[in-house]
Amino acid sequence: MSFHAARISKLLAWMEETDIDVSVVTSPANVRYLSGFYSNPHERFMGVIIPRKGTPFLIVPALDREKAEAEGTLPVHTHSDTDNAVDILVGVLDSDAAAISQVAIEKSQMSVARLEELQSRFSNAKYANVEDRLTAMRMRKDGEELSLMRQAAQLADEAVAFAVTQMVPGKMEYELVQAIESFVKRQGADRMAFETMVLAGEKSALPHGEPGTREIRKGDFVLVDLGIVWKGYCSDITRTFAVGDISEKQREIYEAVRRANAAAIQAVKPGVGAGVIDRAARDVIEDAGFGEFFIHRVGHGLGIDIHEPPSMHGNNEQPLVPGMMFTIEPGVYIPGMGGVRIEDDVLVTETGVEVLTSYPKELRILPVHVLNVE
Amino acid sequence: MSFHAARISKLLAWMEETDIDVSVVTSPANVRYLSGFYSNPHERFMGVIIPRKGTPFLIVPALDREKAEAEGTLPVHTHSDTDNAVDILVGVLDSDAAAISQVAIEKSQMSVARLEELQSRFSNAKYANVEDRLTAMRMRKDGEELSLMRQAAQLADEAVAFAVTQMVPGKMEYELVQAIESFVKRQGADRMAFETMVLAGEKSALPHGEPGTREIRKGDFVLVDLGIVWKGYCSDITRTFAVGDISEKQREIYEAVRRANAAAIQAVKPGVGAGVIDRAARDVIEDAGFGEFFIHRVGHGLGIDIHEPPSMHGNNEQPLVPGMMFTIEPGVYIPGMGGVRIEDDVLVTETGVEVLTSYPKELRILPVHVLNVE
């Protein structure tokens, strides 16, 4: 049985238990998880439809037919821009829509408008949430997923190593972004997992800053945050470098973040609550006196989506289990001055933790006088 | 009054008429439209909250505070990853949540899960859709919007012109993508409106293909589809080029698409139904014998979003009005052989049409023997 078929069969077992007649799975990530086919259909309808009795199928916009048939492991039905996709869905199901008593949807993914459309066809149905089940399945990565994520992480390491070779005074943030993305593409990645972030100097204090024409200068922190999608699975890494001399205060910040990253990794093992990992990092940063500048959770789950459960925030007491994969990325951001973030991807193992990203984390001071050598 | 304040005041007039107590506007595009602040908060909560009585405000993730205060025109409230954002929203509103009788949301944007959260606080409220009103407002571009969109379109023209200088045999699709995106970034654009598409040869037949390592070769069509975001507003252009000799059949296809593009533009004027524009293009392509290969609508509205109303498909009888902005992009895709798409951005004027994109559309055959000259 292919791993997609195995996943669908797990979902069907749950549908039997909970009396779901049909699951309508429409998020690109879950469509990928269940069918192997990935697309971002924008506002168009795309879904994996799983009837409890009958054949699961993909429904995609007509212009994705070729790709869906090539990549997907399910029969493909299409709709054009003048069709009503939900009508086509109901037609393929070939059962009495009014007799459907329970439909499972992704409540945090499906829009209120789409739900109202389904309600107008499946007019006697209740609507259950299929997300918890899919999330639980996706949270424990299977062997194939682990293999792909190790490769994605390794390429992230290589991309950081490459970025360092390009990081010379005078280079602009966006030029580094382009060099990195070009490198990654040459290695055969699907795409970047998000817009690569290179932020220099005071801009490194903006956790969501946009790389622009700011040039790298002596005394800067340069923060590099990048993610790679490798055959559908994400990696996510951040390293922060210093250019030439930096101040004693900057060193203190760097070391606090580095120790926070290490403390959080040290805390990972099965049975521990997710919030414990956040607090392990936060305690170190608070003790160093920078608590007010660590303004986000310590990390997020990782997989097909760049952000997926578990959320690694302080109030999440969900226990870690083997197969979970998430980021550990403490940061300290001093407005107007600069910021440091150090991010790794970690896997919960039977006995503890495996860190997938391995680029060194000791403070690295880049020389200002050496010319760029590729 | 700033143009953001003018928009909020239009929305308030509608809220008065329809007895809406509070509007909760959460899509990044509408947040931008009403506040000037743009961010993609991923799964985090972000919104412009407009009470019928009281002060409108922005609610954003804590890590976006600095940017929201700099770009936004409304008071900013924040939530951290450990807060419940909806509780904070209810607290800032400072009115009795149970007394709220009608809340307006964006039904095609808000998730079913978020609605259920609101329902648990505003437990006596009905939920109206604010989208039609915002869509109607956004569909008629105001002066400031037109000015930004003209600039976005001009830069799109320039990017295509630049792309042509890079288009030589042996160059890979993704290298062209990078060169184009680098050029656009240097001109000061916010970002690309979508992943730039350069597809060569048989890959040009995939309307959603991904640029990769396919090299440009003699006899190829090379399709370039790119969009630029300029101070928040999008442009979208496609041109298709021929490399060296192409076949008679390829010429026929190109000319059919070019005539379809011209016929559709010719048909644009106030009062005409949107579907008429699609059919004007489709008739030309059907007459040329390629009807079955034109597998998508002729275009889509354009503005803050790269896809927004009006949808330019054959069944949309919505009449065009001055201020509407949309793409006209007929295409013919022959599987295994190649495709042609020619796309312009057009504005409905009081008397007819203004075409914002102006890169030439005559078949351009690129030489195979000339070296790349930047």
Side-chain angles (χ1 to χ4, degrees), chain A residues 38-44 62-64 66-67 80-83 105-116 127 129 131 174 177-183 185-186 190-192 194-195 205-213 295-297 300 306-308 311 313-315 335-336, chain B residues 38-44 62-64 66-67 80-83 105-116 127 129 131 174 177-183 185-186 190-192 194-195 205-213 295-297 300 306-308 311 313-315 335-336:
Chain A
Y38 182 83
S39 174
N40 179 348
H42 301 286
E43 78 276 25
R44 295 188 175 97
L63 76 184
D64 279 333
E66 203 173 332
K67 193 160 174 276
S80 75
D81 288 330
T82 53
D83 292 328
I105 60 172
E106 297 155 285
K107 287 196 173 179
S108 79
Q109 298 287 335
M110 182 173 282
S111 71
V112 174
R114 188 74 71 196
L115 172 64
E116 290 181 350
Y127 289 82
N129 198 350
E131 282 173 327
Y174 84 85
V177 168
Q178 291 222 312
I180 292 167
E181 297 192 345
S182 175
F183 170 85
K185 198 82 189 182
R186 282 200 300 277
D190 298 357
R191 60 187 171 280
M192 305 310 294
F194 51 88
E195 288 177 34
L206 304 172
H208 280 185
E210 277 191 37
T213 56
I295 53 177
H296 55 71
R297 60 185 171 176
H300 53 82
I306 182 70
H307 286 175
E308 59 176 61
S311 177
H313 67 70
N315 292 349
Chain B
Y38 181 83
S39 174
N40 179 348
H42 301 284
E43 77 276 25
R44 295 187 174 96
L63 75 184
D64 278 333
E66 203 173 333
K67 195 162 172 274
S80 75
D81 287 331
T82 54
D83 294 327
I105 60 173
E106 295 155 286
K107 288 195 174 180
S108 80
Q109 299 287 334
M110 182 172 283
S111 70
V112 175
R114 187 73 72 196
L115 171 64
E116 290 181 350
Y127 290 81
N129 199 350
E131 283 173 327
Y174 83 85
V177 168
Q178 291 222 310
I180 291 167
E181 296 192 347
S182 176
F183 170 85
K185 197 84 189 181
R186 283 199 300 277
D190 299 355
R191 59 188 171 279
M192 305 310 294
F194 52 88
E195 289 177 33
L206 304 172
H208 279 187
E210 277 192 37
T213 55
I295 54 178
H296 56 71
R297 59 184 171 177
H300 54 81
I306 182 69
H307 286 175
E308 60 176 59
S311 176
H313 66 70
N315 291 350

Side-chain angles (χ1 to χ4, degrees), chain A residues 268-289:
Chain A
V268 174
K269 62 181 176 191
V272 165
V276 171
I277 312 306
D278 180 275
R279 291 194 296 275
R282 204 165 298 276
D283 284 348
V284 172
I285 289 174
E286 281 173 2
D287 288 350

Side-chain angles (χ1 to χ4, degrees), chain B residues 58-137:
Chain B
L58 256 170
I59 181 161
V60 303
L63 75 184
D64 278 333
R65 176 189 287 279
E66 203 173 333
K67 195 162 172 274
E69 287 177 344
E71 294 178 4
T73 54
L74 296 174
V76 174
H77 296 269
T78 66
H79 62 91
S80 75
D81 287 331
T82 54
D83 294 327
N84 180 299
V86 171
D87 284 338
I88 289 180
L89 182 168
V90 171
V92 177
L93 273 182
D94 193 29
S95 59
D96 180 5
I100 299 268
S101 69
Q102 204 175 184
V103 179
I105 60 173
E106 295 155 286
K107 288 195 174 180
S108 80
Q109 299 287 334
M110 182 172 283
S111 70
V112 175
R114 187 73 72 196
L115 171 64
E116 290 181 350
E117 266 191 282
L118 291 175
Q119 285 171 327
S120 75
R121 273 71 165 197
F122 303 120
S123 47
N124 299 314
K126 287 186 301 182
Y127 290 81
N129 199 350
V130 69
E131 283 173 327
D132 290 349
R133 180 62 187 158
L134 284 170
T135 297
M137 287 166 62

Side-chain angles (χ1 to χ4, degrees), chain B residues 119-163:
Chain B
Q119 285 171 327
S120 75
R121 273 71 165 197
F122 303 120
S123 47
N124 299 314
K126 287 186 301 182
Y127 290 81
N129 199 350
V130 69
E131 283 173 327
D132 290 349
R133 180 62 187 158
L134 284 170
T135 297
M137 287 166 62
R138 282 176 51 190
M139 221 163 3
R140 297 186 77 137
K141 269 66 183 175
D142 63 29
E144 179 146 11
E145 295 183 292
L146 292 184
S147 153
L148 294 174
M149 293 188 77
R150 286 194 184 99
Q151 292 169 61
Q154 190 184 330
L155 185 48
D157 283 336
E158 290 167 10
V160 173
F162 171 80

Side-chain angles (χ1 to χ4, degrees), chain B residues 246-314:
Chain B
I246 58 170
S247 68
E248 210 42 54
K249 172 108 185 267
Q250 280 173 301
R251 279 173 193 272
E252 262 179 55
I253 293 168
Y254 189 92
E255 288 306 321
V257 174
R258 193 181 63 76
R259 282 183 283 112
N261 167 283
I265 289 172
Q266 186 69 30
V268 174
K269 62 180 177 193
V272 164
V276 171
I277 311 306
D278 181 275
R279 290 195 296 275
R282 206 165 297 276
D283 284 348
V284 172
I285 289 174
E286 281 173 3
D287 287 351
F290 301 116
E292 68 184 297
F293 303 113
F294 177 17
I295 54 178
H296 56 71
R297 59 184 171 177
V298 80
H300 54 81
L302 193 68
I304 297 176
D305 281 325
I306 182 69
H307 286 175
E308 60 176 59
S311 176
M312 303 301 293
H313 66 70

